[in-house]
């Protein structure tokens, strides 16, 4: 393995360009035999060939070049997943590598694994794959790096009654002896190993046509009845992206495959996308949030068919080139195809909001981040690579303009199709398309200050004679390091009467600008900029009055409150002052500000629950009143004329009211739950909230009831709602029982994190989460290896622990190398920091005294 300037690689001694792969699985033993024939080019004088091979046994290996065939001696470095073929004579030019191997279909959600499902005949299994980021090597010997693109021809030898799926359509199917058949697929376009897909089993499939492309939704038998919604969304998004990018989808088919056991939300295998069942299956009766989730995940994975599959990053340091674009573009598509959902408002409020929260920590990383080895890749599938990257793209689109931004993306894709790219290729294409100079500042210059730097700025605003004085500095909840970073900030300023706007780039730490006399300005107008804005108290009160009167709407109102809440968590604004702002100005707020306020009040309520200090009762009172105010506005029942955001507000308000113990809400939720199992009379949009309220107010009998309903439920999203509610009890004994249940055979591996995650957001969860995690950590490490993206979530669940003794125990626990892995270093660092932030915040606010 060679070390480049930035990462370890197999090197360029041999470059593969074609794979012929044959797999023969044994569906009883869950083992398989395989043959890999790899065509490639070797540099002059190659005697040792390095490939990746993980959990495989190599039976034989030989290499052919123009001079003949050689048997290779096999050497293994299992820790580094390396396979070394040692040759007696040098090879060069066109070569063929042929390797016979065997493997195991594990049940751990990576590589070529097995997934169990229930059928009328009992439990059955299907075989499926998850190769991103570096698990193709656990299915077959290969050059398992994104830069090594090649054509793949796949064949399966399977029993006649089974179906096979891969990236391309079936080329041929022939009967063999003993009730077997060989199924061969058409060759793929050039692509990276992590995008290959292998599937074997009994499948149900419904199809439609878009142009000459066959779109299929594939499920286990019996669940195809939940496929039509996804099929409809798929054709709409495929049409949108072809038009937007100006490049047709290049494969003859597109399969969307629902997998019963799946670690991530979905995976963009080219032409054969895999999904969690909850991210693909639903119907017109499903909750609005479920429909939006299904549409968003499909839209996200479809973006990858261009960003990631057609054009792939050279190395994992530019993972964001895949994920940021899929994140941002999916919401653009949703907003265009389903405008009634107001998804760009939701994008800023939820996705950009999550990026703000992650990037205000010391334990953050640049969007383009150094990754040395495959083991380090897992931890960068996070809010920075996905959400911050998307937020910066949103800001840059505003800077260059929608038309030029779109031209730049099309240019980038056409220049790098069927190849690999890095960040500079993208910026240069957008810059070339736009010609944007912006007072001498090019697109690459602006982009670099955001992509290569950690964190983001806050712009502090105060009125001065004839204008405003602006100052930028990095915003961090813990100011541990010097604030030396300076950003090139595309600023859009608007007046709150909406009649005039101006745009400029803030390139210095401080600057002054003029404003129209008598006008009330707001920076980051429309909230496209990835920075916080902090106003003097005089300006804040003035804007607050306009929010109260409904004169500041949508994202601009959301941004004011969101930035103020962040200042409170930093302790530069007191909690009483924040609560004053909410009480004075925010009760008349509309979406998305009202959901933001509810979320923040719930966060305070959870963090400070059970503590007695001057403002503890006030938090509970405002949280209850704010929740009830929304319930009064929207009611409990859906109005046929209402928009989708009303459903989201109703659910959040019912949950908030129930958590505060509001007796009417608790009684109504329990009454609904008790009637006809709640399924016939209860709106799907409020079920999650009702189940949580029922659990919070419930007892051991309630727990038993919810668990039994979970075990009997068939609909994927309803099943998860019931499972998650088991983490919302207000009895610590029941919470411990629920967390133990999460590791039982009744709960799938892929779903086992739901209960602990909900316990961690439960006001009483901080009292039980650490002891349970410590007790089960060894088992969790075995369950969730690197590549499943799941172990780090269990570390992050500890963030709300604030008992001084337990905090010290947690830090000592993760300093022990036996409890750490490379893929969870960043989640652990984040957890330590958030515990410190919360501890400091609690201590500060326990001592705050309000002025008389």
């Amino acid at each position: 393995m060679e070390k480049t300037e930035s990462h370890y690689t197999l090197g360029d001694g041999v470059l593969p360009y074609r794979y012929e792969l044959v797999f023969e699985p044994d569906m009883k033993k869950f083992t398989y035999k395989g043959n890999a024939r790899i065509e490639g080019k070797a540099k002059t004088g190659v005697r040792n060939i390095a490939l990746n091979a993980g959990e495989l046994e190599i039976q034989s290996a030989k290499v052919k070049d123009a001079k003949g065939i050689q048997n290779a001696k096999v050497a293994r470095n299992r820790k580094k997943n390396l396979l070394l073929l040692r040759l007696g004579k040098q090879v060069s030019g066109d070569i063929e590598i042929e390797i016979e191997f065997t493997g195991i279909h594990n049940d751990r959600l990576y590589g070529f694994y097995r997934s169990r499902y229930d059928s009328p005949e009992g439990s059955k299994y299907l075989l499926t794959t998850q190769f991103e980021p570096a698990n193709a090597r656990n299915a077959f010997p290969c050059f398992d790096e994104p830069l090594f693109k090649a054509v793949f021809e796949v064949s399966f030898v399977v029993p006649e009654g089974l179906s096979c799926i891969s990236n391309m359509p079936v080329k041929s199917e022939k009967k063999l002896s003993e009730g077997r058949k060989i199924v061969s697929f058409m060759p793929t376009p050039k692509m990276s190993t992590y995008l290959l897909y292998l599937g074997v089993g009994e499948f149900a499939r419904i199809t439609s046509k878009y142009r000459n492309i066959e779109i299929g939704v594939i499920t286990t038998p019996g669940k195809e009845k939940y496929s039509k919604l996804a099929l409809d969304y798929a054709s709409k998004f495929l049409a949108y992206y072809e038009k937007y990018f100006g490049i047709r989808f290049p494969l003859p088919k597109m399969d969307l495959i629902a997998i019963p056991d799946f670690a991530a939300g979905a995976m963009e295998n080219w032409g054969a996308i895999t999904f969690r069942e909850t991210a693909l299956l639903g119907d017109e009766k499903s909750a609005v949030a479920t429909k939006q989730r299904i549409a968003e995940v499909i839209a996200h994975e479809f973006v990858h068919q261009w960003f990631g599959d057609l054009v792939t990053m050279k190395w994992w340091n530019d993972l964001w080139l895949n994920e940021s674009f899929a994140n941002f573009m999916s919401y653009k598509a949703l907003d265009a195809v389903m405008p009634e959902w107001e998804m760009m408002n939701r994008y800023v409020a939820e996705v950009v909001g999550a990026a703000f929260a992650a990037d205000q920590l010391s334990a953050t990383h640049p969007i383009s981040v150094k990754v040395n080895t495959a083991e380090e890749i897992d931890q960068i599938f996070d809010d920075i690579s996905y959400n911050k990257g998307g937020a910066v793209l949103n800001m840059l689109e505003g800077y260059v303009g929608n038309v030029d931004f779109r031209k730049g993306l099309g240019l980038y894709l056409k220049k790098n199709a069927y190849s690999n790219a890095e960040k500079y290729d993208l910026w240069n294409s957008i810059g070339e398309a736009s010609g944007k100079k912006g007072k001498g500042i090019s697109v690459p210059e602006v982009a670099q200050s955001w992509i290569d730097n950690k964190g983001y700025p806050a712009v502090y605003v105060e009125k001065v004679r004839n204008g405003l004085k602006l100052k930028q500095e990095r915003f961090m909840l813990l100011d541990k390091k010097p604030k030396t970073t300076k950003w090139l900030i595309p600023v859009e300023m608007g007046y709150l009467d909406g009649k005039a706007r101006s745009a400029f780039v803030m390139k210095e730490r401080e600057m002054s600008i003029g404003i129209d006399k008598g006008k009330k300005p707001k920076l980051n107008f429309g909230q496209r900029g990835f920075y916080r804005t902090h106003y003097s108290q005089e300006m804040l009160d003035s804007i607050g009055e306009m929010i109260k009167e409904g004169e500041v709407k949508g994202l601009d109102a959301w941004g004011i409150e969101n930035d103020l809440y962040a200042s409170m968590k930093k302790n530069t604004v007191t909690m009483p002052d924040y609560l004053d702002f909410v009480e004075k100005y925010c009760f008349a707020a509309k979406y998305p500000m009202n959901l933001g306020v509810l979320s923040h009040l719930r966060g305070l309520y959870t963090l400070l629950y059970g503590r007695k200090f001057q403002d503890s009762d006030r938090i509970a009172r405002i949280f209850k009143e704010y929740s009830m105010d929304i319930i009064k506005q929207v009611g409990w029942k859906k109005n046929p004329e209402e928009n989708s955001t009303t459903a989201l507000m109703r659910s959040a308000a019912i949950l908030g009211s129930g958590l505060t113990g509001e007796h009417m809400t608790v009684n109504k939720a329990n009454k609904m739950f008790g009637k006809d199992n709640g399924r016939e009379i209860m709106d799907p949009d409020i079920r999650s909230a009702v189940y949580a309220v029922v659990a919070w107010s419930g007892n051991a009998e309630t727990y038993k009831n919810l668990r039994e309903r979970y075990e009997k439920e068939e609909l994927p999203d309803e099943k998860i709602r019931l499972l998650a509610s088991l983490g919302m009890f207000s009895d610590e004994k029941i919470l411990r029982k629920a967390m133990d249940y999460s590791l039982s055979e009744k709960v799938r591996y892929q779903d086992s994190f739901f209960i602990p995650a909900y316990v961690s957001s439960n006001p009483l969860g901080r009292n039980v989460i650490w002891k349970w995690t410590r007790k089960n950590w060894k088992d969790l490490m075995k369950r969730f290896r690197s590549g499943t993206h799941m172990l780090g979530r269990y570390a992050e669940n500890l963030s709300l622990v604030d008992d001084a003794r337990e905090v010290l125990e947690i830090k000592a626990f993760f300093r022990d190398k036996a409890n750490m892995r490379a893929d969870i270093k960043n989640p652990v660092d984040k957890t330590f920091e958030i515990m410190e932030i919360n501890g400091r915040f609690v201590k500060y606010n326990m001592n705050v005294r309000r002025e008389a």
Side-chain angles (χ1 to χ4, degrees):
M1 193 170 231
E2 297 179 9
K3 180 73 166 68
T4 70
E5 291 183 6
S6 58
H7 61 271
Y8 289 94
T9 177
L10 294 173
D12 61 355
V14 174
L15 299 178
Y17 55 79
R18 187 180 193 86
Y19 290 78
E20 289 184 11
L21 302 170
V22 180
F23 299 92
E24 185 173 357
D26 184 325
M27 298 294 286
K28 294 180 180 178
K29 296 180 180 179
F30 296 113
T31 60
Y32 62 96
K33 294 185 286 186
N35 177 278
R37 193 175 75 84
I38 308 170
E39 298 177 16
K41 280 193 177 293
K43 283 186 173 180
T44 301
V46 171
R47 199 163 180 173
N48 296 311
I49 299 174
L51 298 88
N52 295 116
E55 298 166 5
L56 303 170
E57 296 303 322
I58 307 302
Q59 309 303 316
S60 66
K62 54 188 178 183
V63 179
K64 176 183 176 183
D65 69 353
K67 298 175 184 177
I69 299 174
Q70 300 183 60
N71 290 320
K73 291 184 178 179
V74 174
R76 302 290 296 273
N77 183 329
R78 292 186 182 273
K79 185 176 180 180
K80 293 184 177 180
N81 292 325
L82 285 177
L83 167 64
L84 190 65
L85 305 183
R86 301 185 187 278
L87 303 174
K89 299 177 182 178
Q90 295 179 346
V91 294
S92 61
D94 289 330
I95 64 169
E96 292 181 9
I97 304 167
E98 186 167 357
I99 303 174
E100 299 282 345
F101 59 95
T102 59
I104 296 173
H105 299 297
N106 69 71
D107 61 355
R108 304 291 176 161
L109 313 180
Y110 67 88
F112 194 6
Y113 70 93
R114 67 183 187 264
S115 175
R116 183 190 60 79
Y117 64 94
D118 296 324
S119 77
E121 296 84 34
S123 290
K124 291 189 175 183
Y125 288 87
L126 60 83
L127 305 178
T128 187
T129 53
Q130 173 59 33
F131 290 162
E132 188 183 37
N135 278 309
R137 63 191 64 181
N138 287 309
F140 61 98
C142 57
F143 296 81
D144 198 15
E145 297 175 19
L147 189 60
F148 295 124
K149 285 197 168 187
V151 171
F152 294 82
E153 285 196 55
V154 173
S155 296
F156 297 97
V157 177
V158 295
E160 285 186 31
L162 297 182
S163 299
C164 302
I165 309 169
S166 192
N167 306 74
M168 296 293 285
V170 172
K171 178 174 67 175
S172 65
E173 187 170 314
K174 298 177 183 178
K175 287 187 178 182
L176 302 175
S177 61
E178 300 176 344
R180 299 175 305 150
K181 63 181 178 180
I182 182 167
V183 182
S184 299
F185 290 84
M186 295 169 59
T188 70
K190 280 182 64 179
M191 65 183 197
S192 303
T193 48
Y194 77 91
L195 297 170
L196 184 66
Y197 180 69
L198 313 171
V200 178
E202 297 176 20
F203 297 108
R205 190 168 191 255
I206 67 169
T207 64
S208 67
K209 281 275 189 178
Y210 166 71
R211 287 197 297 100
N212 61 337
I213 300 166
E214 182 172 273
I215 303 174
V217 178
I218 299 172
T219 69
T220 55
K223 291 189 177 176
E224 64 270 25
K225 59 189 173 184
Y226 302 123
S227 299
K228 291 180 181 178
L229 196 67
L231 197 64
D232 178 56
Y233 291 159
S235 60
K236 291 177 179 177
F237 291 130
L238 204 55
Y240 174 82
Y241 290 130
E242 282 196 343
K243 183 177 179 182
Y244 186 90
F245 294 133
I247 299 173
R248 287 193 165 193
F249 179 67
L251 276 66
K253 63 97 174 173
M254 170 73 89
D255 284 334
L256 294 79
I257 310 158
I259 304 298
D261 298 289
F262 195 72
M267 175 60 208
E268 64 266 22
N269 315 299
W270 212 358
I273 305 171
T274 44
F275 296 78
R276 269 183 186 245
E277 290 183 331
T278 53
L280 189 66
L281 303 183
D283 56 29
E284 287 299 335
K285 294 181 181 179
S286 296
V288 168
T290 298
K291 292 178 183 176
Q292 291 180 346
R293 168 68 174 162
I294 291 169
E296 186 270 320
V297 177
I298 293 172
H300 181 106
E301 301 308 322
F302 274 31
V303 180
H304 279 312
Q305 306 302 294
W306 285 266
F307 279 90
D309 298 5
L310 181 66
V311 179
T312 312
M313 73 267 154
K314 289 183 178 179
W315 180 247
W316 296 101
N317 60 303
D318 280 327
L319 171 70
W320 71 275
L321 280 174
N322 292 4
E323 298 302 347
S324 297
F325 268 97
N327 176 293
F328 174 54
M329 283 301 306
S330 63
Y331 279 83
K332 282 181 70 70
L334 286 161
D335 209 45
V337 174
M338 290 92 164
E340 68 277 10
W341 285 355
E342 300 182 46
M343 291 302 284
M344 284 311 292
N345 280 348
R346 189 170 177 183
Y347 174 73
V348 175
E350 296 181 11
V351 178
V352 177
F356 274 135
D359 209 31
Q360 62 199 13
L361 304 177
S362 299
T364 185
H365 61 79
I367 295 173
S368 182
V369 60
K370 184 177 180 180
V371 177
N372 285 319
T373 66
E375 291 73 23
E376 294 176 1
I377 299 166
D378 202 41
Q379 62 183 339
I380 66 169
F381 285 81
D382 62 4
D383 281 325
I384 303 303
S385 297
Y386 283 68
N387 298 339
K388 180 185 176 180
V392 170
L393 291 170
N394 185 33
M395 178 172 63
L396 286 170
E397 183 187 46
Y399 177 58
V400 303
N402 294 359
V403 173
D404 287 339
F405 184 78
R406 179 176 176 178
K407 287 180 182 176
L409 299 190
L411 185 62
Y412 165 81
L413 290 170
K414 287 169 185 172
K415 282 184 174 181
N416 299 287
Y418 304 103
S419 187
N420 299 79
E422 53 190 349
K423 57 190 174 185
Y424 302 109
D425 298 314
L426 175 67
W427 304 137
N428 290 336
S429 291
I430 296 175
E432 182 180 337
S434 68
K436 182 77 175 181
K437 292 298 180 183
K439 296 183 179 179
I441 302 174
S442 68
V443 170
E445 286 178 289
V446 173
Q448 186 172 358
S449 76
W450 295 91
I451 300 301
D452 293 339
N453 287 320
K454 297 194 294 185
Y456 60 86
V459 176
Y460 293 84
V461 187
E462 63 175 302
K463 274 190 174 181
V464 294
R465 187 174 181 180
N466 298 324
L468 300 175
K469 182 180 178 182
L470 311 180
K471 178 183 177 182
Q472 67 157 294
E473 64 179 44
R474 182 176 174 183
F475 183 85
M476 301 170 68
L477 293 185
L478 290 179
D479 295 329
K480 288 187 170 183
K481 296 182 180 179
K483 304 169 196 171
T484 57
T485 308
K486 183 174 67 175
W487 286 265
L488 299 176
I489 309 175
V491 176
E492 187 159 358
M493 186 186 75
Y495 295 111
L496 292 174
D497 60 11
K499 292 181 180 177
R501 299 165 80 166
S502 61
F504 55 90
V505 175
M506 184 179 182
K507 52 187 177 180
E508 302 300 335
R509 293 195 184 282
E510 297 186 20
M511 69 179 296
S512 297
I513 59 172
I515 60 173
D516 294 347
K517 188 175 182 180
K519 296 287 188 179
K520 295 181 179 179
K522 179 189 180 292
L523 267 66
N524 204 1
F525 203 80
Q527 290 296 132
R528 295 198 75 163
F530 191 64
Y531 59 92
R532 295 198 183 279
T533 308
H534 297 278
Y535 299 93
S536 65
Q537 190 62 50
E538 176 193 357
M539 293 183 72
L540 189 62
D541 283 333
S542 178
I543 294 172
E545 289 290 346
M546 296 186 75
I547 291 173
K548 182 178 179 180
E549 297 302 321
E551 297 173 25
V552 183
K553 298 176 182 177
L555 293 173
D556 286 304
W558 173 86
I560 295 292
E561 186 274 337
N562 193 271
D563 291 345
L564 185 65
Y565 180 82
S567 291
M568 179 196 65
K569 289 299 296 286
K570 186 179 168 70
N571 293 335
T572 54
V573 169
T574 68
M575 188 167 62
D577 285 343
Y578 168 76
L579 295 174
D580 285 346
F581 187 87
V582 170
E583 283 198 291
K584 286 180 182 178
Y585 307 125
C586 299
F587 269 74
K590 303 298 181 186
Y591 178 82
M593 185 184 186
N594 50 14
L595 279 186
V597 173
L598 265 182
S599 174
H600 293 150
L601 290 174
R602 181 183 172 186
L604 289 175
Y605 182 75
T606 300
L607 181 61
L608 300 170
Y609 184 84
R611 307 177 198 276
K612 289 298 179 183
F613 60 102
Q614 189 166 346
D615 278 291
S616 58
D617 292 338
R618 188 183 181 203
I619 293 167
R621 175 182 60 78
I622 295 175
F623 187 26
K624 180 188 290 186
E625 290 176 356
Y626 201 87
S627 299
M628 288 303 296
D629 188 62
I630 292 176
I631 292 174
K632 288 174 184 176
Q633 293 176 45
V634 303
W636 279 72
K637 290 185 178 180
K638 180 181 292 185
N639 183 328
E641 305 299 319
E642 72 185 29
N643 59 28
S644 62
T645 60
T646 301
L648 301 176
M649 292 188 293
R650 179 182 293 113
S651 179
I654 290 171
L655 176 58
S657 176
L659 288 177
T660 63
E662 204 286 321
H663 67 279
M664 290 180 63
T665 301
V666 172
N667 290 342
K668 190 156 190 170
N670 278 282
K671 187 177 180 181
M672 280 186 166
F673 181 71
K675 282 190 177 180
D676 195 21
N677 286 338
R679 293 298 301 274
E680 298 302 321
I681 65 168
M682 199 189 309
D683 178 359
D685 292 319
I686 65 171
R687 284 182 192 153
S688 290
V690 168
Y691 296 158
V693 172
V694 166
W696 181 248
S697 61
N699 54 27
E701 189 62 31
T702 313
Y703 172 81
K704 181 182 177 184
N705 191 342
L706 282 165
R707 199 175 88 174
E708 287 175 352
R709 292 191 192 187
Y710 161 75
E711 291 175 3
K712 293 176 182 176
E713 182 58 53
E714 179 188 83
L715 189 63
D717 66 322
E718 181 71 5
K719 199 169 180 70
I720 294 303
R721 280 194 283 263
L722 289 161
L723 181 66
S725 70
L726 299 180
M728 288 304 297
F729 281 83
S730 56
D731 183 320
E732 293 180 15
K733 183 179 178 181
I734 295 177
L735 291 181
R736 286 190 285 270
K737 186 176 181 180
M739 288 193 289
D740 286 342
Y741 179 70
S742 74
L743 298 181
S744 73
E745 293 182 356
K746 297 290 186 180
V747 180
R748 292 184 179 278
Y749 274 13
Q750 65 167 18
D751 298 330
S752 58
F753 73 91
F754 276 106
I755 292 175
Y758 273 73
V759 169
S760 74
S761 68
N762 181 318
L764 289 167
R766 63 175 178 268
N767 298 332
V768 298
I769 194 74
W770 162 235
K771 291 182 178 65
W772 181 89
T773 302
R774 179 177 57 188
K775 181 181 73 173
N776 293 285
W777 188 251
K778 296 299 183 188
D779 182 44
L780 294 171
M781 290 184 78
K782 291 177 183 176
R783 277 178 169 243
F784 304 120
R785 73 181 298 281
S786 176
T788 61
H789 316 309
M790 296 191 60
L791 185 64
R793 300 182 189 189
Y794 287 88
E796 291 175 347
N797 285 342
L798 303 173
S799 297
L800 283 180
V801 173
D802 64 347
D803 178 85
R805 179 179 55 80
E806 288 193 342
V807 168
L808 290 174
E809 287 178 1
I810 292 168
K811 290 183 176 180
F813 181 82
F814 285 111
R815 280 196 293 267
D816 184 343
K817 292 182 179 179
N819 300 320
M820 276 294 291
R821 287 198 322 227
D823 60 304
I824 65 166
K825 182 181 183 304
N826 191 252
V828 168
D829 288 345
K830 284 168 57 180
T831 297
F832 289 170
E833 186 171 354
I834 293 171
M835 286 192 297
E836 183 177 351
I837 289 164
N838 287 335
R840 188 188 68 164
F841 177 80
V842 170
K843 183 177 181 181
Y844 176 81
N845 283 287
M846 294 280 280
N847 295 322
V848 168
R849 293 291 179 265
R850 293 175 59 80
E851 294 181 5

